[in-house]
Amino acid sequence: MNPSRILIIQLRRVGDVVFTLPVIGALRRHFPNAQIDFLVEKPADQLVRLHPDVNEVLVYDKNREFGWIREVRRRKYDWALDFLSNGRTLTLSLFSGAKVRAGFDGHGIRKMVYNHRARTTDQKYLVEQKLDLVSSLGVKTDNWSWGLKIPKEIKDRILQMAGAVGRKRIGIACVTRRKTREWLLDRVAELSEKFLSQGYDVLFLWGPGEKSLVDDLAAKIRTAGKGGKVIVPPETTIIELAALAEP
């Protein structure tokens, strides 16, 4: 029986929410008349709102945990798809009342919570891992796309501000929350110079507290005689950052 009401659960982080976006389009193509809602925390909700195939974006408040359990159950979803599998989302899934409570396979509590478990591998691109969950439910996931519809006026404005209008650009996000995942800056500079010599601009993507590091990195890069240029954009909103990163 096809679901008429579907809940996607991916509370955070911004990057993980982005990697979940192609799931929305896959579900919409397979179930064109279904209600598809997305449960997410701020500030990633701003991006999900730009996806035309989402019916409602639900902004989760961790200070209302029990209230959200009641709210999800009240909405009578047929499918609850948990892409995060942390304590809060497992609880939401368990008490959702959904006929299908789906998540990725694992030990312990996941076997109790999910009545449909999917398997994937970390050898796959993260988007493809996310899509494996809905694929295991019979949803076709080929020819996926991000699906965001960024307003043209926002994209035009931020490209103008960044000096990137009409330029071929490669975005690099070299700063992370975890130092163990952070690139060695000398290696980033070396790679950037190779892109520049091929005629690409190098666009450094940065967030709160990262500007000084990106400025220091940009100063290391030798641009003389190369076709491209280094772009360090001004402070942006999440939507503006997405506009810069979009081809």
Side-chain angles (χ1 to χ4, degrees), residues 6-243:
I6 301 171
L7 178 65
I8 299 170
I9 305 172
Q10 177 68 67
L11 302 184
R12 50 185 167 89
R13 309 229 174 228
V14 172
D16 291 322
V17 171
V18 169
F19 286 128
T20 311
L21 293 175
V23 168
I24 302 169
L27 288 169
R28 176 59 70 208
R29 288 191 297 274
H30 206 82
F31 305 115
N33 299 316
Q35 170 87 14
I36 300 174
D37 297 345
F38 199 119
L39 183 61
V40 63
E41 292 178 353
K42 291 183 176 182
D45 65 296
Q46 298 173 51
L47 292 174
V48 183
R49 293 181 196 281
L50 294 177
H51 202 300
D53 289 331
V54 173
N55 292 100
E56 190 169 358
V57 178
L58 309 174
V59 182
Y60 183 81
D61 180 355
K62 62 183 179 182
N63 296 316
R64 293 184 53 245
E65 189 168 351
F66 291 108
W68 271 108
I69 293 171
R70 290 193 297 270
E71 178 63 19
V72 167
R73 193 172 184 88
R74 182 187 70 80
R75 288 170 174 266
K76 300 183 184 303
Y77 290 106
D78 301 301
W79 285 11
L81 309 178
D82 183 2
F83 290 89
L84 184 55
S85 298
N86 71 3
R88 290 191 176 95
T89 64
L90 284 162
T91 302
L92 282 165
S93 299
L94 180 62
F95 294 108
S96 66
K99 298 179 182 68
V100 173
R101 302 185 306 276
F104 291 105
D105 201 11
H107 299 292
I109 193 169
R110 293 192 192 194
K111 293 186 181 298
M112 179 183 75
V113 171
Y114 304 138
N115 56 20
H116 180 92
R117 296 183 297 279
R119 292 188 176 184
T120 189
T121 170
D122 59 10
Q123 299 301 306
K124 290 185 174 182
Y125 182 43
L126 193 51
V127 169
E128 294 171 337
Q129 293 179 42
K130 303 281 190 181
L131 290 170
D132 278 346
L133 180 55
V134 291
S135 177
S136 71
L137 287 162
V139 175
K140 293 182 179 179
T141 59
D142 51 340
N143 299 319
W144 62 264
S145 67
W146 300 108
L148 292 184
K149 301 298 182 185
I150 299 173
K152 184 177 184 298
E153 60 273 18
I154 293 178
K155 185 165 186 176
D156 290 347
R157 184 183 71 246
I158 192 62
L159 288 177
Q160 184 70 42
M161 288 174 60
V165 176
R167 308 278 301 185
K168 296 187 300 180
R169 60 194 183 279
I170 294 176
I172 297 180
C174 56
V175 187
T176 73
R177 293 181 299 112
R178 298 182 184 178
K179 289 295 181 183
T180 54
R181 294 182 177 179
E182 198 166 282
W183 291 18
L184 297 175
L185 296 188
D186 288 343
R187 301 277 179 86
V188 179
E190 181 181 351
L191 179 63
S192 298
E193 290 174 6
K194 289 183 178 179
F195 289 142
L196 293 171
S197 66
Q198 295 172 15
Y200 292 97
D201 290 349
V202 172
L203 171 71
F204 286 114
L205 307 175
W206 59 277
E210 299 172 356
K211 179 66 160 52
S212 60
L213 188 147
V214 170
D215 283 338
D216 291 344
L217 173 60
K220 289 176 177 283
I221 297 172
R222 296 167 296 182
T223 60
K226 296 181 171 63
K229 65 179 181 177
V230 174
I231 301 174
V232 178
E235 184 175 358
T236 60
T237 65
I238 286 179
I239 295 174
E240 290 170 339
L241 191 60

